[in-house]
Amino acid sequence: MEEDYIKLIFGLKLKQIRTDKNLSLFGLSKLSGLSKSYLNEIENGKKYPKPDKIAILSEKLDVPYDQMVSLKLDKNLAPIGDLLQSKILKEIPLELFGIKESNLIDIVANAPAKVNAFISTIIEIAQNYNFSRESFFLASVRSFQEANQNYFEDLEQSVLKFSKAYQVDLDQTITSNDLEDILVEEYGYTIENNELSNYEALGNLRSVFVPKTKTLLLTNEIDDPQRTFIYAKELAYNFLDINERLYTFPWIKFDSFDQVLNNFYASYFAGALIIPNAKIKAQLHKIFEKETFDTSLFLEAIDAFNASPESFYQRLTNILPKAFNIQNLFFLRFTHKAKSDKFYLKKELHLSHHHSPHANETNEHYCRRWVSLKMLKDISKNKKEHVFDMQISDYENDGSKYLVLSSATKDPFKERHYRSISIGLLINKQLQRKLNFLDDPKIKHQKVGVTCERCAIKDCKVRQAPAVILDKAAKNKKIESIVEELTTKFTS
């Protein structure tokens, strides 16, 4: 965008100077002798005038030539310049979201003041909420997932091509040994199983890939499902011919948006390989067609794959929208330390619309009636490896209900830390047609809120804070009503 940037900056400055002098395009055309259409193209960043034309504009507008050609913008337009020159704008593939660079330039050129105000607002919000470059990139990937209902047919087909090329039987449980042979023999990997465990400072780092020697370093603390997922991601990078990639799992830094996006592609491929499309669909059909919810059948479905419960739940977010047309859903991952009253929402995905249970940045207290949090409390007490429960969550404030399935497991890398994974399905006519067990009387119904500060449930025994935000809104509404009443009284 370097050439476009220079054109746009000149156009923005010309437009600002013209409007400051209360000149129309027609007026500037008469004053300078340049055609109105030519000036319009300059202001919209389409053309950059030759030096003799700049000299004419400089003279007629009484602005120094050097000031006209300078790329420095005044304070009113500076945020736009910062955005256009920023690495973020260059790193994010705009075409991913159906945006052309020319469209972006047109928007900025046609309404610079409004775009500037918008950008300034975004920057202020980002600063107040500590919205980092990392957060921005991850939010962009989530938006990309949501825009595609989190289903990517090209990656699903790539898994089928891979299984055929390397004779991997997708009907059988895939183990790390199956994938290690391919990495070593086909792609020349060297795998070191104990190296990372020698470095205490590496914490929960599970793998490091050294590209120069194709060496994959692993910690010996991972189990076979984790090892299998790491191998599957490495195979994805190779089979999909991805070069711009991250080298640690979980990642600790990135240099570009492409690395973050490609990490998602590799993870999707890995999930689709370990939990094949056809196999999980068949299992879900069995679960959904029953008149009552069969917990054992659901847990058997999770155990049918060499994958963690989290991988299974994430795979549901791929399969349910496409195969079952269940598109109104959310995915949440919470973390919790034993005997703590803090719960942290570390990962979320919302399809179709922004569902009620979502992260907040104001230190509010998540509703303790959520099954997601109940599971964390349960597992921290009974010390089991995996606990499961479900409920129908009734959000009184917005009138929506969700079927929520939730599992909790130990954090393998942090002592006395636990995580819960939940998927929530909006209960509507579409879901009622697909799930025969929705009327099962054994499924617990629970009235819930989003956070205690916004919750209208009276006499809640697990409330952590008063409904201050809800009370403030009610008070403001009452004041508004009285003011309106007084206005009417003294108007008539």
Side-chain angles (χ1 to χ4, degrees):
M1 287 183 65
E2 293 301 326
E3 185 179 341
D4 288 334
Y5 169 74
I6 294 170
K7 291 178 185 177
L8 181 56
I9 292 300
F10 187 90
L12 288 172
K13 294 181 74 171
L14 179 61
K15 189 170 188 175
Q16 185 180 43
I17 293 167
R18 175 178 63 78
T19 53
D20 285 347
K21 293 180 179 292
N22 296 316
L23 277 171
S24 66
L25 268 176
F26 180 84
L28 182 58
S29 175
K30 293 285 286 184
L31 183 66
S32 64
L34 304 175
S35 73
K36 179 182 172 182
S37 60
Y38 178 64
L39 291 170
N40 186 56
E41 286 188 298
I42 293 174
E43 288 192 356
N44 284 318
K46 298 291 196 303
K47 288 187 176 179
Y48 191 87
K50 293 181 178 178
D52 60 325
K53 301 293 192 297
I54 298 175
I56 293 172
L57 290 169
S58 171
E59 178 188 350
K60 298 301 180 182
L61 291 171
D62 193 24
V63 176
Y65 184 97
D66 290 344
Q67 184 179 330
M68 292 284 291
V69 298
S70 170
L71 293 179
K72 187 177 180 180
L73 291 167
D74 67 23
K75 64 179 181 180
N76 293 325
L77 294 176
I80 293 177
D82 292 341
L83 175 70
L84 294 170
Q85 290 189 95
S86 69
K87 291 182 178 180
I88 286 178
L89 192 60
K90 293 174 183 177
E91 288 172 354
I92 293 180
L94 296 172
E95 67 277 5
L96 198 69
F97 303 97
I99 301 172
K100 295 181 180 178
E101 289 179 1
S102 58
N103 297 144
L104 186 67
I105 290 172
D106 286 343
I107 292 169
V108 174
N110 289 327
K114 292 179 180 178
V115 173
N116 175 58
F118 174 74
I119 293 168
S120 299
T121 302
I122 294 299
I123 291 172
E124 186 174 344
I125 291 172
Q127 290 172 341
N128 288 340
Y129 288 95
N130 194 26
F131 191 71
S132 64
R133 179 169 174 260
E134 169 189 322
S135 302
F136 182 77
F137 283 168
L138 291 175
S140 298
V141 171
R142 282 199 303 272
S143 297
F144 178 55
Q145 291 176 258
E146 292 162 9
N148 289 276
Q149 293 299 322
N150 203 30
Y151 182 84
F152 297 86
E153 181 62 32
D154 55 337
L155 294 174
E156 300 281 347
Q157 291 300 318
S158 294
V159 167
L160 296 179
K161 290 176 183 176
F162 173 87
S163 66
K164 183 177 180 181
Y166 294 101
Q167 290 297 290
V168 176
D169 188 352
L170 297 181
D171 292 327
Q172 300 297 317
T173 302
I174 295 171
T175 68
S176 61
N177 288 335
D178 299 327
L179 303 185
E180 183 173 330
D181 290 343
I182 302 171
L183 278 175
V184 173
E185 295 183 22
E186 184 69 15
Y187 294 108
Y189 271 50
T190 299
I191 298 174
E192 297 288 345
N193 289 303
N194 301 311
E195 183 66 23
L196 295 189
S197 303
N198 296 327
Y199 303 89
E200 186 178 346
L202 294 182
N204 66 345
L205 210 61
R206 302 171 201 179
S207 69
V208 176
F209 178 65
V210 183
K212 189 173 182 179
T213 58
K214 287 190 173 183
T215 302
L216 183 62
L217 308 175
L218 299 171
T219 175
N220 58 15
E221 296 176 11
I222 56 175
D223 57 20
D224 197 66
Q226 291 167 335
R227 182 185 296 270
T228 304
F229 184 78
I230 292 169
Y231 286 172
K233 279 189 70 175
E234 290 299 323
L235 288 168
Y237 283 129
N238 286 277
F239 189 74
L240 299 175
D241 196 25
I242 294 173
N243 296 315
E244 191 76 9
R245 57 160 292 180
L246 299 170
Y247 295 105
T248 64
F249 179 65
W251 52 272
I252 52 176
K253 72 168 187 172
F254 55 81
D255 298 316
S256 70
F257 176 75
D258 281 344
Q259 289 180 337
V260 180
L261 182 62
N262 288 334
N263 178 69
F264 163 70
Y265 286 148
S267 297
Y268 188 105
F269 181 98
L273 176 62
I274 299 167
I275 307 175
N277 196 320
K279 188 174 179 180
I280 189 173
K281 278 195 298 188
Q283 291 174 322
L284 291 174
H285 274 295
K286 291 179 182 177
I287 296 168
F288 293 169
E289 67 186 11
K290 287 185 170 291
E291 295 294 327
T292 58
F293 183 78
D294 191 332
T295 301
S296 61
L297 194 61
F298 183 76
L299 295 177
E300 284 174 15
I302 296 177
D303 292 338
F305 304 98
N306 188 23
S308 67
E310 180 170 348
S311 294
F312 181 84
Y313 279 72
Q314 287 195 354
R315 188 66 172 134
L316 291 180
T317 68
N318 308 139
I319 300 301
L320 293 177
K322 180 68 174 179
F324 296 90
N325 199 28
I326 299 173
Q327 299 179 358
N328 284 284
L329 60 81
F330 63 79
F331 170 91
L332 305 174
R333 183 180 76 195
F334 278 95
T335 61
H336 172 67
K337 184 179 180 180
K339 296 184 178 180
S340 167
D341 62 352
K342 298 282 187 179
F343 297 88
Y344 300 96
L345 183 48
K346 292 296 188 180
K347 193 170 185 179
E348 60 180 322
L349 180 70
H350 302 266
L351 300 188
S352 291
H353 64 84
H354 209 52
H355 305 280
S356 289
H358 53 79
N360 69 81
E361 297 290 342
T362 54
N363 295 319
E364 295 177 31
H365 296 78
Y366 294 113
C367 178
R368 267 36 178 192
R369 295 177 172 223
W370 290 355
V371 68
S372 309
L373 305 192
K374 176 182 176 295
M375 288 295 89
L376 287 170
K377 284 291 188 182
D378 288 350
I379 195 169
S380 65
K381 290 176 182 177
N382 61 33
K383 305 286 192 298
K384 290 184 178 179
E385 293 294 325
H386 177 201
V387 295
F388 168 82
D389 202 356
M390 64 187 300
Q391 73 180 34
I392 290 178
S393 294
D394 185 353
Y395 286 83
E396 285 189 315
N397 286 8
D398 58 19
S400 58
K401 293 183 180 182
Y402 292 86
L403 172 70
V404 185
L405 309 174
S406 184
S407 287
T409 60
K410 291 181 179 179
D411 187 323
F413 297 94
K414 290 183 180 180
E415 188 69 25
R416 298 174 65 248
H417 281 73
Y418 305 89
R419 60 182 64 174
S420 72
I421 315 100
S422 305
I423 188 166
L425 313 177
L426 180 67
I427 297 178
N428 52 21
K429 291 183 178 179
Q430 175 66 17
L431 193 70
Q432 289 168 343
R433 284 195 294 267
K434 297 293 181 180
L435 276 57
N436 290 337
F437 61 77
L438 271 182
D439 294 327
D440 184 351
K442 291 185 295 183
I443 301 176
K444 182 180 179 182
H445 289 243
Q446 181 75 283
K447 290 182 179 180
V448 299
V450 177
T451 65
C452 294
E453 288 80 351
R454 302 168 190 270
C455 183
I457 298 175
K458 304 294 183 183
D459 303 321
C460 178
K461 295 180 180 179
V462 290
R463 179 181 285 280
Q464 302 293 304
V468 291
I469 295 177
L470 200 67
D471 292 342
K472 183 179 179 180
K475 183 179 179 181
N476 288 343
K477 191 172 182 180
K478 186 175 181 179
I479 293 172
E480 184 182 335
S481 176
I482 294 172
V483 170
E484 187 176 339
E485 187 179 315
L486 288 171
T487 303
T488 303
K489 180 178 178 180
F490 288 96
T491 301
S492 56

